Amino acid sequence: MTKVADTSDYEVIVLGAGYAGLMAALGVAGRNRLTRIALVSGNEQFVERIRLQESVSRTIAMRMPPLADFLANTKVKFIRGHVQALDAVERCVRIDVDGDTREFTFDRCIYALGSRIDEVSVRGVAEHAYRLDPASGSRFVGALRSKLEASAGQSIRVVIVGGANTATEAAGEIKATWPTAEVTMISRSRGGDFKKGARLEHVVRAELQRLGVRLIDSQTVVEVTATEIVAASGAIIPADICVWAGGLRAAPIAREAGLAVDPKDRILVDPTLSSISHPHIVAVGDAANPIAPTGAYYRMSAFAAIISGAYAAKRIVDETRGREPRPFSFSAYGQGVAIGRSGVGFFTFPNDSRAYFVLKGPLALRIRNVFVWFLVFFLKLERRYPGSSLFWIGRRRVSWKRVRESISRTPRGNPANFPVAGNVK
């Protein structure tokens, strides 16, 4: 690969153009003194990741134009390329752009490289399992659909490993589209258990079983082969197709750059979403793991991504104006899960904890799909009115006093280093 010098330097560079990264880039592009802003992504098209299970059975129409067109006439320069390395000390990022290596310097970096299905923790996953990730190749969504279409009408054995949202939606979509397939979900705990109460678990499991999905609980998978799934208990489950949904892992770039990360390679961040080891790097979305209270529970999700992206933009813009940032916090609305041509929806306001007012059936699916549509609408709204973030509620739920009290009881952070009025770095 040829290395090409690049003299471009940016006040803010955003790595990743998913929900979090795109929202952050749009937010800093409003009326402020920042003029040199870049957004880096390996994809020219925005990917609605929470719709990937739909693409298992059909082609999904894009609801946004290509990123270069979407960002035209804004202050954001779109760079299509793959991040190779980050130098957190020298404030430099190395990017593969059309086969050439370019280096870009920055004052601040918003790290939004997201996550992928964890394919490294269990033997055989990378070689033999399909993953619902936005990538091309022999083990991703397009290849899975081709395999299922070639097996239409046959009693093919499809095993989905995982028990949460991705696994549930994949199982429902496959069984509803190919009813002759024998679809099984294997979970380390219980399939359909979203840790939000027994009632929700019961409804989700009932919907899966109504479709004909077989549920195997309390089995930890230790190996995937071309024809079977091996559990720690010694159980062997035959499989013609394995779909792996056994957890997510963030990109390794931050760990390789020497930033403080957790075991899933998420950057440990303070109450302003700054890296606790390199404060000029702000992490958002699935790439961040806050060490302080955030109001609602912070989990890997599209909603947490879009909220954290909006916060990161506001926080950086406020700093250019000499304003003290508030600790990051938000409220959650609820969640929807597609299960074939039906669904389950539930409210969790404001803490994203126990579910209440659970809906099921086609109505729940429609509500879920409206919520997914709104995420794209919020991005378009931010493009038109940077900094509006009308969907962001709960931004004042956590005070600096509460943050300091909480952090003082944990070993991961030092509250004395967190910003106070007049001391924003």
Side-chain angles (χ1 to χ4, degrees):
M1 183 175 292
T2 304
K3 180 176 179 180
V4 177
D6 197 303
T7 58
S8 300
D9 71 293
Y10 294 95
E11 292 167 296
V12 180
I13 190 166
V14 183
L15 306 181
Y19 292 100
L22 186 54
M23 176 58 71
L26 294 170
V28 297
R31 294 182 179 178
N32 55 65
R33 68 176 74 176
L34 297 168
T35 59
R36 291 173 288 114
I37 306 163
L39 175 65
V40 180
S41 175
N43 297 317
E44 63 179 9
Q45 187 73 46
F46 173 75
V47 177
E48 293 184 75
R49 180 163 183 168
I50 54 178
R51 297 182 68 199
L52 283 178
Q53 95 287 343
E54 299 176 39
S55 61
V56 171
S57 60
R58 58 193 180 278
T59 301
I60 302 301
M62 299 296 179
R63 295 196 281 209
M64 288 182 64
L67 289 168
D69 296 339
F70 186 65
L71 295 170
N73 301 316
T74 72
K75 294 191 292 185
V76 181
K77 177 183 178 181
F78 176 61
I79 302 172
R80 185 182 180 188
H82 296 276
V83 179
Q84 293 180 321
L86 173 67
D87 189 327
V89 176
E90 297 297 328
R91 304 193 184 204
C92 176
V93 60
R94 190 166 68 244
I95 301 169
D96 174 10
V97 181
D98 295 328
D100 294 328
T101 298
R102 298 182 179 270
E103 292 186 350
F104 301 92
T105 58
F106 57 84
D107 296 327
R108 286 191 176 278
C109 171
I110 299 179
Y111 187 99
L113 290 177
S115 64
R116 294 168 64 94
I117 299 294
D118 185 355
E119 62 180 42
V120 300
S121 297
V122 173
R123 187 166 59 250
V125 171
E127 297 82 7
H128 303 296
Y130 292 91
R131 281 91 71 190
L132 298 189
D133 271 329
S136 59
S138 62
R139 289 293 164 181
F140 296 100
V141 175
L144 173 60
R145 184 171 68 189
S146 297
K147 177 76 171 179
L148 288 166
E149 287 174 344
S151 306
Q154 303 176 28
S155 184
I156 190 171
R157 298 167 297 184
V158 180
V159 177
I160 292 101
V161 180
N165 197 328
T166 301
T168 299
E169 294 197 330
E173 188 69 29
I174 291 171
K175 186 62 179 177
T177 307
W178 292 279
T180 59
E182 299 177 11
V183 179
T184 300
M185 278 178 61
I186 302 176
S187 175
R188 184 165 44 190
S189 55
R190 287 174 60 81
D193 176 15
F194 295 166
K195 311 301 181 186
K196 290 178 169 56
R199 180 166 177 249
L200 175 63
E201 177 191 324
H202 173 77
V203 172
V204 172
R205 290 172 68 88
E207 287 293 299
L208 287 167
Q209 291 169 331
R210 180 186 59 80
L211 267 180
V213 177
R214 177 189 177 203
L215 302 176
I216 299 178
D217 301 321
S218 304
Q219 292 286 351
T220 299
V221 174
V222 295
E223 185 178 5
V224 177
T225 73
T227 58
E228 59 191 22
I229 313 296
V230 181
S233 65
I236 296 178
I237 300 94
D240 300 305
I241 295 176
C242 173
V243 179
W244 190 265
L248 298 170
R249 176 176 291 275
I253 301 294
R255 169 174 48 81
E256 293 167 355
L259 277 74
V261 298
D262 70 6
K264 294 183 179 180
D265 288 339
R266 296 175 297 177
I267 298 174
L268 298 173
V269 295
D270 71 15
T272 64
L273 300 188
S274 286
S275 163
I276 64 171
S277 58
H278 298 77
H280 55 283
I281 296 177
V282 180
V284 292
D286 287 3
N289 182 0
I291 66 172
T294 57
Y297 173 63
Y298 191 93
R299 58 183 171 83
M300 289 181 164
S301 68
F303 186 67
I306 209 167
I307 292 286
S308 60
Y311 171 87
K314 184 179 188 305
R315 173 250 164 116
I316 289 175
V317 170
D318 282 352
E319 288 178 2
T320 66
R321 297 169 176 167
R323 297 175 181 172
E324 176 192 0
R326 293 191 59 85
F328 170 68
S329 67
F330 68 104
S331 294
Y333 297 93
Q335 191 175 344
V337 184
I339 305 178
R341 307 300 167 253
S342 182
V344 176
F346 50 95
F347 297 94
T348 59
F349 183 84
N351 294 329
D352 199 30
S353 53
R354 180 168 294 273
Y356 65 95
F357 194 51
V358 178
L359 300 173
K360 65 178 182 178
L363 176 60
L365 178 62
R366 285 195 289 271
I367 293 174
R368 180 260 185 198
N369 290 341
V370 168
F371 175 77
V372 172
W373 174 85
F374 261 116
L375 293 177
V376 172
F377 171 76
F378 291 147
L379 290 168
K380 294 179 178 179
L381 188 67
E382 191 75 7
R383 165 69 174 81
R384 188 176 181 86
Y385 305 105
S388 56
S389 304
L390 299 178
F391 55 88
W392 180 12
I393 58 176
R395 66 183 72 192
R396 293 182 174 272
R397 294 187 63 194
V398 178
S399 66
W400 277 114
K401 179 181 178 181
R402 180 183 170 194
V403 162
R404 295 177 187 282
E405 289 175 348
S406 175
I407 294 298
S408 66
R409 296 193 295 268
T410 69
R412 292 197 297 179
N414 182 357
N417 295 331
F418 297 153
V420 296
N423 188 34
V424 177
K425 299 180 180 180

